[in-house]
Amino acid sequence: MATLVTLVSLLLLGFQAQVRSEWTYSEGQLDEEHWALHYPACGGTRQSPINLQRRKVHFNPALTPLELMGYEEGQAGQFPMTNNGHTVQITLPESMRLAGPEGTEHVAVQMHFHWGGDSFEVSGSEHTVDGVRRVMEIHVVHYNSKYESYDIAKDAPDGLAVLAAFVEMEEDAENTYYSSFISHLANIKYPGQSTMISGLPVLDMLPENHFEYYTYHGSLTTPPCTENVRWFVLQDSVKLSRAQVWKIENSLLTHDNKTLHNGYRSVQPLHDRVVEASFQFSRSLHSEIGSYLEGIQMSIRDLARALEQRREKRRV
């Protein structure tokens, strides 16, 4: 009898592990709406991403420029790059470090990307600014250097920090710093495939301006959605050509053998959190109206996306 109970328990654990590993953004039993059922933190009050409302952001003159240490050394290194079924992830060396405004040093772990690309949503950044979603978003994940490893830091209250940068599209302005990265995507078309990049100009793949940024306390944007992330979202953006954006959006497949599109989480409620900025800005009436209209357009696209998801579920 004890043997039977043990066997049943192992089968249940195996089933749970399988379910927990198959989370998705919009399709399947464990889509974004149901993450919190298996990952309780995903239903918390300090979730990411958020909408950065500039009129509500607090300017903090004490926020010093972010310091990226060892990033320029990456051009001579070896970088493993993997299709994990949700995005392309690049492993970074521990020599790359981020120093925040309080002087806390964080060790780099990996960088990955979020994009849109389906018929209803061209843009795919996770954070939005005044309701406007950008074309893509880069995340560089770090852990607090006071912990011995990422595995320890990932569960600590002050364990993680993410440097985020937006990507915008300029029609024919090819960004040569992305050439090697994009060319290697063909080697990781299927989930689980990995390749190696010899030399990757990580520093040049990010915006030059590290002085102006937003910061707030939030979470990982994918399960388990741990609420221990200090976010640094750069104000400036990276520019890629339309052809480069298209290549990134259409090179990888998911576990369901579909093109990896719309790999981003919806914006989450801010609740009582405060978003700070290291810079001040002024806005004209014209820019206010423009942002308002862009926000409406994004809402319409998101609504169309939600309706399409419901239709897909009904077909299933």
Side-chain angles (χ1 to χ4, degrees), residues 227-242:
E227 295 183 325
N228 64 343
V229 179
R230 175 73 180 275
W231 281 90
F232 299 102
V233 183
L234 297 178
Q235 158 74 355
D236 284 354
S237 59
V238 176
K239 306 300 190 296
L240 297 181
S241 69
R242 178 179 294 274

Side-chain angles (χ1 to χ4, degrees), residues 1-12:
M1 183 66 179
T3 303
L4 178 60
V5 171
T6 302
L7 178 60
V8 171
S9 298
L10 289 173
L11 289 173
L12 287 174

Side-chain angles (χ1 to χ4, degrees), residues 59-76:
F59 167 60
N60 183 351
L63 291 175
T64 56
L66 300 175
E67 187 177 358
L68 305 184
M69 301 170 290
Y71 272 65
E72 69 285 347
E73 299 171 5
Q75 298 187 37

Side-chain angles (χ1 to χ4, degrees), residues 242-295:
R242 178 179 294 274
Q244 288 179 307
V245 170
W246 187 92
K247 189 70 174 179
I248 294 172
E249 291 176 341
N250 294 280
S251 291
L252 305 186
L253 298 180
T254 67
H255 292 290
D256 296 325
N257 210 36
K258 297 179 180 178
T259 303
L260 205 168
H261 285 160
N262 282 24
Y264 64 89
R265 189 185 190 188
S266 303
V267 293
Q268 304 297 301
L270 185 63
H271 293 295
D272 59 351
R273 288 176 289 175
V274 174
V275 179
E276 295 184 322
S278 65
F279 62 99
Q280 289 179 303
F281 55 88
S282 59
R283 301 185 63 182
S284 65
L285 177 60
H286 180 269
S287 66
E288 289 278 1
I289 294 174
S291 292
Y292 177 72
L293 292 176
E294 288 179 323

Side-chain angles (χ1 to χ4, degrees), residues 31-63:
D31 61 9
E32 184 182 330
E33 290 183 20
H34 300 95
W35 286 358
L37 296 177
H38 295 271
Y39 304 92
C42 296
T45 58
R46 296 176 59 186
Q47 289 293 290
S48 299
I50 60 172
N51 177 35
L52 300 164
Q53 294 181 273
R54 288 188 290 182
R55 62 186 178 84
K56 294 183 178 181
V57 168
H58 292 228
F59 167 60
N60 183 351
L63 291 175

